[in-house]
Amino acid sequence: YVDQFAPLPAFITAWKIPPRRTPEFDALSLAGKLLFDGDSSRLYQKLVKGEESVVQLFGNLDERRGPSAMWIGAIPKPGEDLDQIRQSIADEIKELATIGVTEEEMGKLRNQLFNDEVRGRQSTMFRAQRLAEFALYDGDPNLFNTEFEQLMRVTPEDIKNAVAKFLDTDNRSNIDIVPANVG
């Protein structure tokens, strides 16, 4: 995609994943935290700190009642090879799908979930939004009280299997964003 306003090239890779509130979605949600959520995530450590090949790394889950999506994108440093960066991401996903999650990573995930839960419940707006979301999408506002426990039950094997099934595959979409002023 040639973008008239893009100052730098970028790319996004996206995968179709199961609907929200399914065990595989929950496992992929935690996989996303491991892969791209924060400075200690696997891809941040690999691409930003290690290889120093990207200026910015980002990712997200597009949570839906029907099929959802997960995407990962990056803005490479000038002169860096997009295909090599994409391969580094694919390699990290392959490792998560074959070797899995370490106990240290599971401890970090559980601490992060607990921290997010405590901080979120301190906000009246957060509580109201989540109650409304569960009532509207799921017909059960009480899910607000059980979602945390459901996520805490996700095992390393659940994450490994979900990543192998949905992310470690050629069934994905790629888009390259190219600045218009680059020939």
Side-chain angles (χ1 to χ4, degrees):
Y1 174 76
V2 177
D3 187 337
Q4 302 255 10
F5 302 105
L8 297 169
F11 73 87
I12 297 172
T13 301
W15 299 263
K16 181 178 168 183
I17 63 173
R20 61 181 259 128
R21 309 274 325 130
T22 62
E24 288 174 322
F25 179 89
D26 290 343
L28 290 166
S29 173
L30 296 186
K33 288 184 177 298
L34 286 171
L35 287 168
F36 54 74
D37 191 10
D39 292 355
S40 66
S41 67
R42 286 183 174 204
L43 291 173
Y44 185 91
Q45 287 298 311
K46 184 175 195 166
L47 298 172
V48 177
K49 293 291 191 182
E51 296 175 7
E52 298 183 358
S53 59
V54 301
V55 174
Q56 186 176 4
L57 173 76
F58 43 90
N60 199 21
L61 271 92
D62 186 21
E63 187 174 332
R64 305 288 173 156
R65 284 184 281 184
S68 297
M70 177 184 277
W71 52 269
I72 299 171
I75 299 173
K77 286 186 174 180
E80 293 292 335
D81 182 10
L82 287 179
D83 290 331
Q84 178 55 45
I85 296 168
R86 255 196 286 274
Q87 186 59 50
S88 290
I89 292 170
D91 292 346
E92 201 61 42
I93 288 169
K94 171 69 86 184
E95 184 174 317
L96 193 54
T98 55
I99 297 171
V101 183
T102 67
E103 277 306 312
E104 180 181 339
E105 287 175 314
M106 282 306 293
K108 175 189 154 196
L109 277 173
R110 289 183 179 113
N111 287 339
Q112 187 176 3
L113 289 171
F114 185 77
N115 184 47
D116 292 348
E117 183 73 6
V118 169
R119 288 181 185 268
R121 285 181 177 258
Q122 291 174 350
S123 163
T124 304
M125 180 60 83
F126 174 84
R127 291 191 313 269
Q129 286 176 325
R130 295 299 284 173
L131 286 166
E133 177 184 326
F134 289 131
L136 177 65
Y137 294 139
D138 305 301
D140 185 4
N142 192 51
L143 290 172
F144 179 76
N145 295 318
T146 61
E147 181 184 44
F148 172 73
E149 289 83 11
Q150 182 178 328
L151 289 173
M152 292 295 279
R153 285 193 295 268
V154 174
T155 67
E157 195 66 21
D158 295 335
I159 295 170
K160 179 180 171 183
N161 292 338
V163 169
K165 184 175 180 180
F166 293 99
L167 303 184
D168 187 22
T169 175
D170 290 333
N171 188 12
R172 61 181 174 259
S173 296
N174 293 307
I175 184 168
D176 291 345
I177 295 96
V178 179
N181 61 359
V182 174

